[in-house]
Amino acid sequence: MQASPADSATLPPQQSQPDKQGRAGDSPRSHDGIPWWLWVLAGALFFAHMTLSLRIHQRMLSNAFDLGIFEQVIRSYADGHLPVSEVKGPDFPVLGDHFHPVLALVAPFYRLWPSPQVLLVVQAALIAVSVLPLALWARRALGSGAAAVIGTCYGLSWGLANAAGFDFHEVAFAVPLLACSLAALGSDRLRAAAFWAVPLVLVKEDLGLTVAVIGFLIARRGDRRLGIATAAAGLAGTALAMLVILPAFNPQGSYAYTHWLTTGPEGGGESGLLDLLYKGTIGLITPEAKVTTLLFLLAPTLFLALRSPLLWVALPTLVWRFASGLWTHWGTSYHYSIVLMPIVFAAFIDALVRRQSSGASLRRYLVGSAAITALLLPQFPLWQLAKPETWRPDPRVAVAHKLMDRIPDGATVQASNQLVPQLTDRTSVSLYGWADSRPNPEWIMVDTLVPQQRRWPLSPGEERISLDRALTQGYRTAAEQAGFVLLTRSG
């Protein structure tokens, strides 16, 4: 069957003028349903991200910080009370740590399947769903070929892969909200853009600033009243969370993370006024890890995203990360860039539409984006799915589960970092060697063979001293096998 002109990626996009409601005049194509191939793409990306996350957890490579913490949060909601986390401290009220009431939405699924794996499946679903609004916008504006390429490049982008490859995080909920909001904003559906943006204040406390920027863009596109209201809602949400709610729940009576801005680059010592000035200027692009992050963000769009005002929505996240004194915020590792990916790719689509890319010009950008995505793919976690060692069984995992089965449900436990998420669904578990963990647990389980690069918070020597001390304080060895040590106080 011959493709219709609207489906051709080689023809110029249809231009439409906003109507009086601030909504772009839609062609009949705009009201079509989601095409089958886009469901297939979203399904394939869901399966890839889910498989990656589940396999990492099955290999006991997930962590107390953060999968263990978030399972304890969602388990609390599922049990019908405000969230607490033993990993953060004995009965620590998590609404004094970060503001993410959106996590209560996972509780019904957790009641059906009380396992950390449900969190990983939900995260993969949120990532996959976020492909749909961006690809549909690209399809309406640029054609089906462009939508397929952009949707694939976005779905395989390194920021999403890193999030799927590193536990679960509440900011996964921001990804479809941002994708829907920015796709609506780029199409001049301003009310829809505000509708999808405002719930971001329930995902994490800093995202109210992102909402404020979206409100500014709405006002800039013509609806000042709606834009001001959206920006005000975002700013009020962040202020309420940081100045009222989080301090009210936090045991110290303050917001816990201002130290990110008031410590030096190595995390030690209070910084002075000159250091804060430095962080807010030259420090935003030094050291070089910050520039590398910017390059990696923009490269898949061939830097065309810089031509779109939608990229401004990334500024709040980039500023707090690069002004932070914590080095893990600066680079491309961990989950911190997940919220940036829908912004960058929305800006890419918007820039292509604005410059009326068509024919050979559009093909060059699409081929370039696909090539850079392919070049980056082996450097990030999705590539693990192609590695034989990912699928090779580890006999130590079976030993670990055999020993953990000896720990009764509901017991208090301290365990090594990567053992914690294996126990959060049925015990009260905290992190062995972490100063804030519940003291004198009924059980201790330690993996003494953790490789140095994954060992935290104790060094091998500190761990050995701590285990010897426990044996002198009333614990006895219940089992020791394949490098795992299980201690108990029970008779």
Side-chain angles (χ1 to χ4, degrees):
M1 180 180 295
Q2 186 176 1
S4 65
D7 277 339
S8 173
T10 64
L11 294 181
Q14 295 181 353
Q15 299 299 312
S16 57
Q17 297 299 322
D19 61 22
K20 292 180 180 179
Q21 284 73 39
R23 179 184 177 92
D26 290 328
S27 67
R29 173 65 63 181
S30 302
H31 297 285
D32 285 355
I34 299 175
W36 67 268
W37 59 263
L38 190 46
W39 285 118
V40 172
L41 174 60
L45 291 168
F46 166 69
F47 183 77
H49 286 95
M50 178 187 68
T51 302
L52 172 67
S53 295
L54 293 178
R55 188 61 189 145
I56 288 172
H57 179 68
Q58 291 163 0
R59 296 169 66 204
M60 296 200 317
L61 298 177
S62 50
N63 301 276
F65 284 70
D66 291 304
L67 183 57
I69 291 174
F70 282 113
E71 187 186 1
Q72 290 176 336
V73 169
I74 292 167
R75 184 179 174 187
S76 298
Y77 281 126
D79 289 341
H81 58 79
L82 290 176
V84 296
S85 172
E86 283 289 294
V87 175
K88 292 291 295 184
D91 296 319
F92 184 91
V94 180
L95 287 179
D97 185 53
H98 285 300
F99 185 68
H100 38 50
V102 71
L103 291 176
L105 296 176
V106 186
F109 300 100
Y110 189 84
R111 287 185 66 87
L112 294 173
W113 182 17
S115 165
Q117 296 178 85
V118 74
L119 282 69
L120 304 177
V121 173
V122 166
Q123 179 170 257
L126 291 168
I127 290 172
V129 165
S130 72
V131 175
L132 299 178
L134 294 175
L136 286 172
W137 174 27
R139 179 175 179 250
R140 289 193 302 267
L142 301 167
S144 291
V149 173
I150 292 171
T152 301
C153 291
Y154 166 71
L156 297 177
S157 61
W158 61 267
L160 300 182
N162 270 352
F166 183 62
D167 294 356
F168 167 91
H169 297 88
E170 76 280 73
V171 286
F173 279 93
V175 178
L177 291 173
L178 281 167
C180 288
S181 180
L182 296 178
L185 184 57
S187 302
D188 281 325
R189 295 183 290 115
L190 304 184
R191 292 180 184 175
F195 173 84
W196 288 109
V198 170
L200 288 167
V201 301
L202 303 177
V203 176
K204 198 174 180 184
E205 63 274 8
D206 65 287
L207 288 174
L209 303 178
T210 301
V211 175
V213 177
I214 293 174
F216 168 76
L217 291 175
I218 290 172
R220 187 173 180 266
R221 282 185 177 250
D223 196 332
R224 291 190 178 183
R225 179 176 298 180
L226 178 62
I228 291 171
T230 303
L235 293 174
T238 288
L240 183 65
M242 289 187 176
L243 301 179
V244 180
I245 298 174
L246 291 168
F249 281 95
N250 189 283
Q252 304 301 319
S254 61
Y255 179 53
Y257 294 103
T258 54
H259 68 276
W260 284 349
L261 299 179
T262 58
T263 55
E266 299 303 323
E270 295 294 323
S271 61
L273 180 60
L274 288 178
D275 189 52
L276 288 175
L277 180 62
Y278 171 81
K279 287 180 179 179
T281 52
I282 301 299
L284 292 177
I285 56 172
T286 58
E288 61 275 9
K290 300 174 184 178
V291 176
T292 300
T293 297
L294 290 175
L295 292 174
F296 274 50
L297 280 172
L298 296 170
T301 74
L302 280 71
F303 298 89
L304 194 64
L306 289 168
R307 298 189 182 185
S308 170
L310 296 186
L311 193 62
W312 300 352
V313 179
L315 286 177
T317 297
L318 287 172
V319 168
W320 79 251
R321 283 180 57 187
F322 291 172
S324 170
L326 189 62
W327 65 269
T328 55
H329 292 153
W330 305 339
T332 57
S333 300
Y334 304 105
H335 62 285
Y336 298 112
S337 294
I338 186 175
V339 299
L340 299 176
M341 306 320 294
I343 301 171
V344 168
F345 278 86
F348 184 35
I349 298 169
D350 186 52
L352 288 170
V353 173
R354 284 171 175 270
R355 72 190 304 274
Q356 301 185 30
S357 301
S358 61
S361 173
L362 179 57
R363 284 195 295 271
R364 282 196 298 271
Y365 279 113
L366 296 177
V367 170
S369 179
I372 292 174
T373 299
L375 286 173
L376 292 178
L377 193 60
Q379 310 302 318
F380 293 98
L382 277 176
W383 195 250
Q384 293 180 29
L385 296 175
K387 294 182 176 180
E389 57 265 31
T390 300
W391 308 103
R392 191 176 297 130
D394 183 353
R396 294 189 72 242
V397 171
V399 172
H401 282 286
K402 183 181 72 173
L403 297 184
M404 284 186 283
D405 287 344
R406 299 182 60 172
I407 301 173
D409 293 353
T412 58
V413 187
Q414 282 191 21
S416 296
N417 179 35
Q418 273 118 11
L419 296 177
V420 168
Q422 310 294 326
L423 290 162
T424 44
D425 60 341
R426 63 180 188 86
T427 70
S428 178
V429 61
S430 53
L431 178 61
Y432 186 69
W434 182 249
D436 293 329
S437 290
R438 183 180 293 277
N440 304 315
E442 298 168 292
W443 295 80
I444 294 173
M445 185 166 174
V446 175
D447 182 359
T448 63
L449 298 183
V450 176
Q452 185 62 40
Q453 65 271 21
R454 296 205 311 267
R455 180 174 285 277
W456 181 78
L458 298 178
S459 68
E462 292 169 335
E463 183 177 85
R464 185 69 261 169
I465 292 172
S466 180
L467 288 172
D468 289 342
R469 185 186 302 119
L471 291 173
T472 66
Q473 294 175 343
Y475 288 92
R476 65 177 180 83
T477 302
E480 187 168 359
Q481 185 178 356
F484 296 104
V485 175
L486 182 64
L487 307 182
T488 183
R489 279 185 180 277
S490 62

